[in-house]
């Protein structure tokens, strides 16, 4: 395995057990990977959104699962044959699923509903036909189609299935009457009415949409979207602003943005890799300043992103009125901030700020051992809310998105596997070029 | 614990202040003057724009007539900024009492809200401020004040109360009024607008606010702080859609903290009466629901007051939605007639009305060529925290192909904001990339309306961030955030090369 971007350093703490950084990461990466083995349905390949009983499948989590299987094979945690079987099972499910504008099916126009029944694969929770979650699913399919390159019947079918599923997506439809894509669609009421402006995790969506061999998005859709960006100097750090950390991590989990620049980043003499690094530094700086005085924040304790929280209620704690939220996209510096930290988000910053992410992981291990079960990080903890230990409230169960992001980001740091695979994925390079990216590995 | 004073909620009919107000702003025994010859300027509408133009014209020695059909002062004094800000102040007081412990204070016993005293204070303040705009004072300043409906009767004449006023120039400043939302059953069930909300005699226990614009947000927060259960239903994805996302988000969080229930992407489709309850049908993403409320406040849109003026008689073009058509010099299609304020402008603010009236006046009387588009106009929404903006938004700069850098200071890094327990919000200053030229700014802070003025001054006089960084600001003040942003800009000028040079110099 080769080290990517930054040399690994020796363990930053000497206290026992003197575990090396690599061993530590291996332990947490494997624990995260096992989520997908535990929570997958062997009948159809769907994977549960969370480990909570009765959780439906999330198509985004399935996308992460498909991307994690190659990591599992390379790390020796599963056989290639098993990974190929699971992958094909998943792809066959989606290929055979019903696509129509009826309310209770699996998808429409090549996109899929956000949440599906684990057994039947049909839409649940009246969820929306989700553009971004379909994109993450597609990213997983394309990862598989590059990784499984053998000339065997199973791997050939994986490639042809993934291509067929990509080709049938009607990207221009997803714009509705507008220039940029909409966030989602519901049968009956049509496109969601939510504003989706400003920098977000949608870069990957535009890249894959622009590269579609059958129904591509027009190039101006990406340019129009980037015109809503906001370049800010916050805490003396200049970056393309977005509050929650996941926005700086999702597209970056698949695409190596180091050294490649679109028109916006050329104008700012930066790139989206460097931008994620700076966004992470802003998060850490916010935690150090800790403007609202939440317990537990500090230089090694940060990670503000979309995650579960203690629940929507207001409490007076230590004489201060505190408002808490349930699942919400927490962000800095404008909030919302209710004292909840997602340790997964901090560790997923590994490729951008390796030393800081490792320090954060060791800090979590040392100070909040009770929240870490079997080397698996929870999706949130809040030391302000009294709980069983110093971590205070700890998120119940695990979220597939967090575990999947951890597997990919740790792997990108350790070997660059996902980035290397996706560089070889023709739609990625083509979509990036159509979006105006040049330089670096695209040259 | 804040309890509403349910039993004494009824406003006692203290007629003192309304009487004073009327005596000042539309004296019952007023006799219109006899027009003597042609006026240099006839102004229709005695709101902020009309008053500004009348006073300035009289001071400049012009023979000027000012016509008002109702109360002098217009929306600002009677149904707009003045009463709403008076009420918002009391609402902020209650919020501070509620949060007393966070400020290290203790409020003895239960806090009771007397809606009657809130409204009485508001009327007292209206009466106090009305003194400066009284008909008598205007007459003393040499202005002929006419009360009555004005109509154009020719290209250079206006008729009011049976008298014909000839003019060399005229200014239309008749303002705007709330739009009636086209919602089935709303008119029959009855609803509040900014024009009659201040006549409420009892605090509504449950209030639905239609529209999350500035007026809707201000009203929703104030009533929530008085103990009303307030719901905002807005058929848009974000509050204050024209404002920056983060600013709107902070306001949305602040409203939620005050207990306002916010329903975005929600259309009000029908209203009906069931006993004393107003039942409101809502639709969100195709899902239907109903809520029962006591009052409905409609805060969406304003229509220009153009209909009863007989504008056709003077050859003045207009549109019932956008108002009187004017060019950049605020001149109408009749060369003798100008317009200012809400009746012709998209931005319906008191200070815009006043500023546009000044331009129209100079252009009308002194052959001026001042352009409205050259004005730097700030605006503010008086929620808590307030949200104020001046100049370009980032999106507008992009549309003009201007690359932007934004310097942001969080109020939680401003000492005075922290000491005052007002650390929420930010100052964002947008500059043209590669320069220190300020394009625009947004401030979200408890006193954003005060703070934005320094930035308006900088933009309108061309002061850049480098100069601002050298201006000594008093410490500790919240406006220091502006200087901190300028200093952040200055620090970016210290490139690695300059730093290396400096290091060598200092080592020498």
């Amino acid at each position: 395995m080769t080290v990517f971007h930054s040399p690994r350093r020796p363990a930053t703490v000497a206290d026992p057990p003197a575990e090396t950084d690599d061993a530590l990461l291996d332990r947490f990466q494997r624990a995260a990977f096992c989520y997908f083995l535990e929570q997958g349905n062997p009948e159809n390949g769907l994977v549960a959104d969370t480990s909570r009983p009765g959780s439906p499948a999330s198509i985004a989590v399935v996308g992460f699962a498909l991307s994690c299987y190659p990591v599992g094979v390379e790390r020796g945690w599963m056989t290639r044959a098993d990974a190929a079987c699971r992958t094909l099972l998943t792809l066959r499910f989606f290929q055979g699923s019903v696509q129509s504008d009826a309310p209770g099916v699996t998808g429409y126009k090549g996109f899929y509903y956000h949440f599906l029944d684990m057994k039947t694969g049909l839409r649940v929770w009246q969820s929306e036909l989700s553009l971004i979650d379909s994109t993450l699913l597609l990213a997983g399919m394309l990862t598989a189609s590059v990784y499984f390159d053998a000339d065997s019947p199973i791997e050939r079918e994986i490639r042809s299935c993934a291509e067929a599923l990509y080709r049938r997506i009607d990207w221009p439809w997803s714009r509705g009457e507008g220039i940029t894509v909409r966030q989602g669609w519901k049968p009956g009421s049509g496109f969601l009415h939510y504003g989706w402006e400003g920098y977000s995790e949608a870069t990957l969506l535009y890249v894959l949409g622009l590269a579609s061999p059958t129904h591509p998005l027009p190039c101006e859709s990406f340019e129009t979207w980037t015109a809503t960006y906001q370049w800010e100097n916050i805490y003396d750090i200049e970056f393309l602003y977005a509050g929650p950390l996941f926005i700086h991590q999702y597209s970056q989990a698949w695409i190596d943005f180091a050294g490649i620049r679109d028109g916006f980043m050329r104008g700012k003499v930066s790139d989206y890799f460097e931008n994620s690094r700076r966004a992470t530094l802003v998060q850490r700086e916010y935690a150090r300043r800790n403007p609202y005085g939440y317990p537990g924040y500090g230089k090694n304790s940060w990670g503000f992103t979309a995650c579960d929280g203690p629940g929507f209620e207001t409490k007076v704690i230590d004489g201060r009125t505190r408002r808490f939220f349930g699942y919400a996209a927490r962000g800095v510096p404008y909030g919302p901030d209710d004292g909840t930290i997602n340790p997964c988000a901090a560790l997923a910053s590994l490729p951008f700020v390796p030393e800081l992410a490792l320090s954060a992981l060791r800090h979590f291990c040392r100070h909040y051992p009770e929240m870490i079960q079997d080397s698996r990080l929870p999706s949130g903890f809040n030391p302000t809310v009294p709980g069983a230990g110093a971590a205070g409230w700890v998120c119940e169960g695990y979220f597939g998105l967090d575990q999947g992001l951890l597997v990919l980001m740790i792997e990108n740091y350790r070997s660059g596997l996902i980035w290397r695979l996706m560089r070889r994925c023709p739609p990625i390079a083509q979509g990036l070029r159509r979006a105006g990216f040049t330089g670096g590995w695209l040259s | 614990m804040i309890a509403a004073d349910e039993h004494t909620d009824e406003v006692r009919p203290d007629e003192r202040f309304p009487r004073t107000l009327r005596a000042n702003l539309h004296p019952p025994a007023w006799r219109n003057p006899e027009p003597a010859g042609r006026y240099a300027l006839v102004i229709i509408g005695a709101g902020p724009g009309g008053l500004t133009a009348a006073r300035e014209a009289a001071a400049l020695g012009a023979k000027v007539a000012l016509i008002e059909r109702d109360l002098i002062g217009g929306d600002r004094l009677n149904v707009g900024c003045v009463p709403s800000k008076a009420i918002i102040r009391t609402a902020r007081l209650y919020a501070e009492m509620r949060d007393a412990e966070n400020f290290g204070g203790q409020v003895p016993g239960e806090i009771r809200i007397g809606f009657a005293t809130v409204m009485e204070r508001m009327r007292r303040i209206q009466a106090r401020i009305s003194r400066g705009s009284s008909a008598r004072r205007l007459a003393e300043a040499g202005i002929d004040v006419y009360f009555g409906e004005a109509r154009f009767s020719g290209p250079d004449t206006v008729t009011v109360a049976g008298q014909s006023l000839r003019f060399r120039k005229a200014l239309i400043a008749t303002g705007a009024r709330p739009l009636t939302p086209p919602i089935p059953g709303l008119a029959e069930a009855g609803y509040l607008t900014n024009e009659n909300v201040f006549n409420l005699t009892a605090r509504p226990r449950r209030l639905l606010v239609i529209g999350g614009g500035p007026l809707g947000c201000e009203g929703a927060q104030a009533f929530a702080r008085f103990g009303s259960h307030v719901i905002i239903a807005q058929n848009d994805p974000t509050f204050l859609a024209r404002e920056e996302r983060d600013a709107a988000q902070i306001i949305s969080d602040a409203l939620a903290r005050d207990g306002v229930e916010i329903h975005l992407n929600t259309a009000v489709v029908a209203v009906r009466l069931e006993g004393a309850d107003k039942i409101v049908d809502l639709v969100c993403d195709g899902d239907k629901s109903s809520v029962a409320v006591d009052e409905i406040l409609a805060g969406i849109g304003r229509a220009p007051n153009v209909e009863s003026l007989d504008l056709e008689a003077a050859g003045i073009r207009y549109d019932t939605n956008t108002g009187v058509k004017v060019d950049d010099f605020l001149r109408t299609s009749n060369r003798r007639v100008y317009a200012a304020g809400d009746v012709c402008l998209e931005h319906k603010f008191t200070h815009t009305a006043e500023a546009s009236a000044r331009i129209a006046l100079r252009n009308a009387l002194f052959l001026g060529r001042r352009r409205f588009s050259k004005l730097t106009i700030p605006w503010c929404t008086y929620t808590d925290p307030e949200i104020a903006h001046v100049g370009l938004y980032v999106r507008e700069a992009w549309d003009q192909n201007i690359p932007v850098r934004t310097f942001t200071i969080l109020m939680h890094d401003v000492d005075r904001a922290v000491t005052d327990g007002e650390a929420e919000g930010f100052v964002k200053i947008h500059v043209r990339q590669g320069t220190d030229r300020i394009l625009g700014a947004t401030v979200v802070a408890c006193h954003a309306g005060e703070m934005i003025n320094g930035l308006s001054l900088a933009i309108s006089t061309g002061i850049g961030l480098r100069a601002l960084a050298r201006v000594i600001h008093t410490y500790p003040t919240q406006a220091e955030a502006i200087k901190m942003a300028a200093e952040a800009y200055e620090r970016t000028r210290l490139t690695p090369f300059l730093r290396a040079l400096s290091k060598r110099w200092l080592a020498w």
Side-chain angles (χ1 to χ4, degrees):
Chain A
M1 296 286 167
T2 53
V3 176
F4 225 71
H5 279 300
S6 180
R8 256 172 283 150
R9 285 159 52 90
T12 48
V13 286
D15 50 349
E19 193 177 22
T20 64
D21 285 347
D22 199 54
L24 180 72
L25 290 176
D26 191 80
R27 188 155 61 83
F28 278 85
Q29 189 187 18
R30 182 167 191 172
F33 173 79
C34 286
Y35 176 92
F36 298 94
L37 303 185
E38 293 160 15
Q39 300 299 328
N41 178 353
E43 304 291 318
N44 57 17
L46 294 180
V47 184
D49 182 43
T50 73
S51 63
R52 294 171 185 171
S55 166
S58 150
I59 54 167
V61 172
V62 177
F64 274 108
L66 292 173
S67 307
C68 289
Y69 299 148
V71 176
V73 175
E74 293 300 306
R75 293 270 160 213
W77 299 329
M78 71 192 304
T79 64
R80 185 175 179 112
D82 186 15
C85 264
R86 281 173 184 265
T87 301
L88 185 57
L89 196 69
T90 314
L91 294 174
R92 278 180 180 165
F93 161 75
F94 282 102
Q95 196 164 43
S97 67
V98 178
Q99 288 267 318
S100 86
D101 61 359
V105 300
T106 301
Y108 181 50
K109 296 280 182 187
F111 298 99
Y112 305 94
Y113 288 102
H114 193 162
F115 296 110
L116 304 175
D117 184 276
M118 278 295 287
K119 289 199 175 74
T120 64
L122 300 175
R123 175 194 185 208
V124 293
W125 287 355
Q126 301 216 310
S127 57
E128 81 286 9
L129 191 83
S130 171
L131 281 291
I132 185 62
D133 293 288
S134 295
T135 297
L136 300 178
L137 172 61
L138 176 65
M141 294 172 173
L142 293 174
T143 308
S145 75
V146 179
Y147 181 74
F148 293 107
D149 55 357
D151 193 19
S152 68
I154 286 188
E155 299 200 7
R156 271 202 304 273
E157 192 180 342
I158 286 175
R159 294 194 292 275
S160 64
C161 242
E163 189 182 349
L165 290 166
Y166 183 27
R167 292 176 74 91
R168 78 178 184 186
I169 300 175
D170 188 350
W171 298 93
W173 168 83
S174 70
R175 298 187 301 158
E177 302 290 311
I179 299 172
T180 56
V181 295
R182 311 295 289 268
Q183 206 164 18
W185 176 92
K186 280 187 171 187
S189 55
F191 285 105
L192 298 188
H193 196 184
Y194 300 99
W196 206 20
E197 291 207 332
Y199 180 50
S200 73
E201 70 281 19
T203 315
L204 182 63
L205 185 160
Y206 281 98
V207 167
L208 293 179
L210 289 166
S212 166
T214 48
H215 314 285
L217 285 173
C219 292
E220 73 259 24
S221 60
F222 181 73
E223 285 161 23
T224 306
W225 177 57
T226 60
T228 64
Y229 281 3
Q230 199 147 324
W231 182 262
E232 292 203 37
N233 179 307
I234 297 174
Y235 304 146
D236 286 327
I237 299 167
E238 287 207 23
F239 74 124
L240 170 55
Y241 161 76
L245 207 44
F246 81 91
I247 288 180
H248 301 280
Q249 297 174 333
Y250 274 22
S251 296
Q252 288 79 351
W254 280 276
I255 301 175
D256 176 12
F257 283 102
I260 62 170
R261 291 169 175 172
D262 62 353
F264 181 87
M265 284 299 177
R266 276 193 294 278
K268 302 298 183 188
V269 199
S270 186
D271 63 50
Y272 290 91
F273 180 94
E274 170 64 15
N275 199 68
S276 295
R277 191 183 73 83
R278 294 183 192 180
T280 314
L281 295 178
V282 169
Q283 287 241 336
R284 185 168 174 268
E285 181 59 28
Y286 178 88
R288 294 185 83 171
R289 296 185 186 209
N290 191 8
Y292 301 105
Y294 286 111
Y297 284 17
K299 65 177 183 178
N300 289 322
S301 192
W302 43 273
F304 309 100
T305 192
C307 69
D308 203 6
F312 294 93
E313 59 179 332
T314 301
K315 287 180 182 169
V316 176
I317 296 175
D318 293 335
R320 296 185 72 168
T321 307
R322 302 287 201 185
R323 245 177 100 229
F324 299 99
F325 312 105
Y327 196 90
R330 292 164 175 81
V332 299
Y334 309 114
D337 173 16
D338 65 350
T340 304
I341 291 171
N342 182 342
C344 302
L347 182 53
S349 303
L350 197 61
F352 311 117
V353 288
E355 295 155 26
L356 304 183
L358 275 162
S359 296
L361 177 59
R362 290 190 184 276
H363 175 89
F364 294 138
C365 293
R366 189 181 306 129
H367 293 274
Y368 309 112
E370 78 279 9
M371 76 172 181
I372 301 168
Q373 307 288 327
D374 301 325
S375 303
R376 195 174 285 169
L377 289 172
S379 285
F381 71 100
N382 190 323
T384 307
V385 180
W393 172 87
V394 178
C395 176
E396 185 192 327
Y398 300 94
F399 281 65
L401 287 177
D402 289 322
Q403 304 304 318
L405 186 66
L406 276 183
V407 174
L408 301 194
M409 284 308 212
I410 294 175
E411 193 57 36
N412 281 328
Y413 169 70
R414 294 178 80 188
S415 74
L417 173 70
I418 301 299
W419 287 340
R420 269 188 288 120
L421 285 174
M422 293 313 264
R423 282 184 189 187
R424 283 169 31 211
C425 177
I428 291 287
Q430 194 168 6
L432 286 168
R433 288 198 180 94
R434 285 191 181 159
F437 282 84
T438 56
W441 60 267
L442 280 171
S443 301
Chain B
M1 171 69 191
I2 296 183
D5 193 356
E6 296 289 352
H7 303 294
T8 56
D9 251 352
E10 285 291 319
V11 173
R12 283 182 299 277
D14 183 343
E15 283 298 318
R16 198 157 35 104
F17 299 125
R19 238 189 351 255
T20 310
L21 194 70
R22 188 154 276 278
N24 284 333
L25 305 181
H26 190 153
W30 185 263
R31 290 182 60 184
N32 284 345
E34 288 294 326
R38 190 165 69 158
Y39 282 103
L41 183 68
V42 167
I43 301 163
I44 307 172
L51 279 174
T52 300
R55 286 193 182 116
E56 293 211 1
L60 290 164
K63 185 174 158 59
V64 56
L66 178 64
I67 307 173
E68 172 57 46
R69 67 175 173 184
D70 190 9
L71 295 174
I72 293 169
D75 273 11
R76 168 192 68 102
L77 180 56
N78 300 304
V79 293
C81 307
V82 168
S84 81
K85 265 71 255 175
I87 285 174
I88 282 171
R89 180 65 190 91
T90 316
R92 188 178 274 200
L93 172 72
Y94 276 112
E96 286 178 348
M97 284 197 278
R98 180 195 64 194
D99 296 336
E101 282 191 21
N102 288 346
F103 290 89
Q106 285 187 349
V107 177
E110 190 183 56
I111 302 165
R112 298 191 72 80
I113 294 172
F115 194 66
T117 52
V118 177
M119 298 308 256
E120 188 181 313
R121 173 178 181 273
M122 180 268 289
R123 291 197 181 89
R124 187 171 70 236
I125 286 165
Q126 265 183 316
R128 156 77 182 77
I129 292 178
S130 73
R131 279 187 238 146
S133 307
S134 73
R136 187 164 308 156
R137 274 184 173 248
L138 294 173
E140 285 168 10
I143 299 164
D144 283 358
V145 178
Y146 291 82
F147 284 101
E149 288 276 355
R151 289 176 187 281
F152 283 95
S153 44
D156 62 352
T157 38
V158 168
T159 305
V160 56
Q163 291 174 307
S164 197
L165 277 54
R166 287 181 53 232
F167 60 79
R168 204 156 51 219
K169 293 286 164 55
L171 176 68
I172 304 170
T174 49
R177 63 186 184 281
L179 267 179
T180 302
I183 299 167
L186 180 65
E188 293 79 1
Y191 65 99
L192 302 169
T193 67
N194 72 305
E195 293 203 335
N196 57 4
V197 67
F198 302 112
N199 298 336
L200 272 180
T201 56
R203 178 190 62 93
R205 194 164 57 83
R206 302 159 302 175
L207 173 70
L208 175 86
V209 178
I210 304 175
L215 287 176
C217 287
E218 290 176 14
Q221 189 177 41
F223 276 97
R225 288 176 161 190
F226 291 140
S228 298
H229 178 226
V230 182
I231 298 170
I232 293 181
Q234 179 193 313
N235 200 16
D236 281 317
T238 48
F239 269 132
L240 305 167
R242 63 185 303 163
E243 302 294 352
E244 288 168 20
R245 282 190 314 159
D246 311 311
Q249 185 60 47
I250 290 176
I251 303 305
S252 159
D253 290 345
L255 292 185
R257 198 166 42 239
D258 281 316
V260 176
E261 236 181 77
I262 300 163
H263 296 249
L264 298 178
N265 298 308
T266 302
V268 176
V269 293
V271 180
R272 63 186 184 278
L273 274 174
E274 273 184 18
D277 287 350
K278 292 171 180 166
I279 310 294
V280 184
D281 293 335
L282 307 170
V283 175
C284 176
D285 281 340
D287 300 329
K288 292 177 186 166
S289 61
S290 294
V291 289
V293 295
D294 303 300
E295 294 287 357
I296 298 168
L297 174 63
I300 43 173
R302 294 177 63 72
N305 291 322
V306 289
E307 286 84 359
S308 60
L309 294 170
D310 276 351
L311 292 169
E312 295 84 351
I316 298 166
R317 289 178 53 220
Y318 69 97
D319 180 299
T320 51
N321 293 320
T322 55
V324 173
K325 305 268 185 201
V326 289
D327 60 17
D328 205 19
F329 305 105
L330 298 173
R331 192 167 59 181
T332 70
S333 50
N334 177 336
R335 296 174 62 83
R336 294 188 187 88
V337 182
Y338 289 70
D342 292 6
V343 75
C344 62
L345 301 177
E346 186 193 344
H347 291 167
K348 299 192 187 326
F349 306 111
T350 295
H351 51 269
T352 315
E354 291 177 350
S356 62
R358 267 189 202 104
I359 288 188
L361 174 80
R362 306 274 159 173
N363 290 349
L365 299 187
F366 299 104
L367 309 172
R369 300 292 287 169
R370 298 189 184 192
R371 288 179 179 274
F372 177 71
S373 59
K374 295 287 182 197
L375 290 180
T376 301
I377 301 173
W379 57 79
C380 183
T381 298
Y382 297 92
T383 43
D384 181 15
E386 296 174 350
I387 169 171
H389 179 85
V390 64
L392 291 182
Y393 287 102
V394 174
R395 183 63 189 255
E396 292 170 333
W398 270 105
D399 289 345
Q400 297 173 33
N401 284 321
I402 303 173
V404 179
R405 281 170 96 187
T406 300
F407 289 86
T408 303
I409 295 297
L410 281 304
M411 293 308 289
H412 63 232
D413 283 333
V414 180
D415 290 355
R416 185 58 188 274
V418 176
T419 61
D420 287 354
E422 296 174 343
E424 209 173 13
F426 56 76
V427 168
K428 285 191 192 195
I429 301 179
H430 311 305
V431 299
R432 176 191 274 269
Q433 191 169 317
T435 74
D436 73 336
R437 195 187 131 208
I438 303 172
L439 300 168
T442 294
V443 179
V444 177
C446 278
H447 312 286
E450 306 285 348
M451 290 166 68
I452 202 75
N453 294 326
L455 289 159
S456 298
L457 173 71
I459 292 177
S460 57
T461 54
I463 296 172
L465 279 188
R466 289 191 67 188
L468 263 186
R470 290 195 296 272
V471 175
I472 299 171
H473 286 58
T474 44
Y475 177 89
T477 53
Q478 296 195 17
E480 212 191 357
I482 294 166
K483 181 179 167 62
M484 291 166 72
E487 287 169 343
Y489 168 80
E490 280 289 85
R491 283 193 292 275
T492 65
R493 297 181 65 240
L494 188 63
T495 59
F497 175 69
L498 288 175
R499 198 193 308 266
L501 272 185
S502 164
K503 199 172 169 185
R504 281 183 66 185
W505 170 262
L506 293 170
W508 185 52

